[in-house]
Amino acid sequence: ITTHSGLFELGLTPRLSVSGEYIYDAIAGETPIGSPPLPGSDQVATFKMKDQRQAGNIKFGYELGRHKLSPQIAYSSESDYESVGLSLSDAIQLNEKNTLLTLGVAHSFDRILPNGGTFIDRIEKKDTTDIFIGVNQILGKHTHVTANLTLGYSQGYLADPYKGVVFEDFPFFPPFPYTVFGEKRPANKFRQVAHFGINHYWQQIDSGIEASYRFYHDSFGITAHTAHLSLSKTFLDRITIEPM
């Protein structure tokens, strides 16, 4: 995989700024497609692939009183996928700037394109909407906490177009002792992600402590818990050790 990227950020007026990014990816390799080895072989079926992706986004920031509005548009294109994304967020300063409330909404229009090695023969579509609310609160000069919640809903083609499912009891064509169909996942997915974090400076040992917990659940039946704890200690003003 080779990746090249560039970005810019520019202040147009004291209240208005613009930033953007461009990414170019090139990939070449070989990937399993889900089929088992043929009789007498230990090599699973694979598909050789190479692809190029070009993506970019542009984002504006506009300060209006306590609000900072940030609309963004993003685009990504490759041989088997195309995506257009729109988003808008508002960061609101409260409580003498000790509290930052962030609200956001995003929607992406995706198209999955037929390509060599895929199990689809027509263009499939997928739409995804995310709603975000987050709070960053300063509790004192040594401590601040963050908490946020994301609700997401996807509709359309949610399967992996390169992934097959093997049926050994289905009519097949020699020399393959099985038939492979493209996987089918539900056409709707609702997910919920909650995150809580705290950063604290422990003055007695001159160290920073960071702790966080993330909860994930979706309508596919996946539940995930992720916990993080780290301590950062600096020695001689040049060396930092961070057990985690």
Side-chain angles (χ1 to χ4, degrees):
I1 299 175
T2 301
T3 300
H4 303 280
S5 63
L7 56 88
F8 74 92
E9 185 172 358
L10 180 65
L12 302 177
T13 71
R15 292 186 177 184
L16 179 64
S17 63
V18 60
S19 62
E21 183 178 19
Y22 171 78
I23 301 172
Y24 171 82
D25 289 330
I27 181 174
E30 197 167 359
T31 180
I33 62 173
S35 302
L38 289 173
S41 172
D42 59 359
Q43 176 63 49
V44 299
T46 60
F47 174 71
K48 294 182 179 180
M49 59 180 296
K50 60 180 180 179
D51 204 353
Q52 298 176 355
R53 178 177 75 102
Q54 298 190 65
N57 64 75
I58 186 167
K59 179 180 180 180
F60 292 90
Y62 182 70
E63 296 184 12
L64 182 63
R66 299 183 301 177
H67 299 259
K68 183 174 182 180
L69 299 171
S70 301
Q72 177 177 273
I73 182 171
Y75 176 76
S76 176
S77 176
E78 51 197 294
S79 65
D80 57 2
Y81 207 90
E82 185 180 49
S83 177
V84 177
L86 303 173
S87 67
L88 175 65
S89 65
D90 184 13
I92 309 169
Q93 294 181 339
L94 305 170
N95 190 24
E96 297 182 349
K97 298 185 178 182
N98 290 315
T99 304
L100 182 65
L101 174 64
T102 304
L103 307 173
V105 60
H107 186 86
S108 64
F109 307 85
D110 298 347
R111 299 199 310 159
I112 302 92
L113 311 176
N115 195 29
T118 62
F119 286 91
I120 59 175
D121 55 8
R122 64 178 184 178
I123 297 176
E124 302 284 355
K125 296 182 179 180
K126 179 179 70 172
D127 288 275
T128 301
T129 301
D130 289 286
I131 299 175
F132 173 88
I133 179 170
V135 177
N136 190 318
Q137 177 66 52
I138 297 176
L139 299 181
K141 67 178 183 178
H142 295 320
T143 308
H144 79 269
V145 298
T146 60
N148 56 63
L149 174 67
T150 301
L151 302 178
Y153 181 76
S154 300
Q155 183 178 24
Y157 184 82
L158 305 182
D160 185 337
Y162 291 95
K163 183 178 289 186
V165 180
V166 175
F167 291 84
E168 295 182 342
D169 57 351
F170 198 85
F172 56 84
F173 299 95
F176 301 97
Y178 50 75
T179 301
V180 181
F181 292 96
E183 71 168 12
K184 282 191 175 181
R185 300 180 187 176
N188 301 276
K189 184 178 183 180
F190 177 53
R191 64 188 178 279
Q192 312 91 45
V193 185
H195 177 270
F196 176 81
I198 180 170
N199 287 358
H200 176 71
Y201 171 64
W202 194 347
Q203 193 171 12
Q204 287 78 0
I205 61 174
D206 191 26
S207 301
I209 297 176
E210 180 180 350
S212 66
Y213 169 72
R214 177 182 180 271
F215 172 80
Y216 174 92
H217 177 264
D218 64 34
S219 56
F220 280 14
I222 297 176
T223 300
H225 307 270
T226 306
H228 170 89
L229 178 64
S230 64
L231 184 144
S232 179
K233 175 67 176 178
T234 301
F235 299 90
L236 305 175
D237 294 329
R238 294 178 180 271
I239 302 173
T240 300
I241 297 177
E242 186 172 334
M244 181 176 63

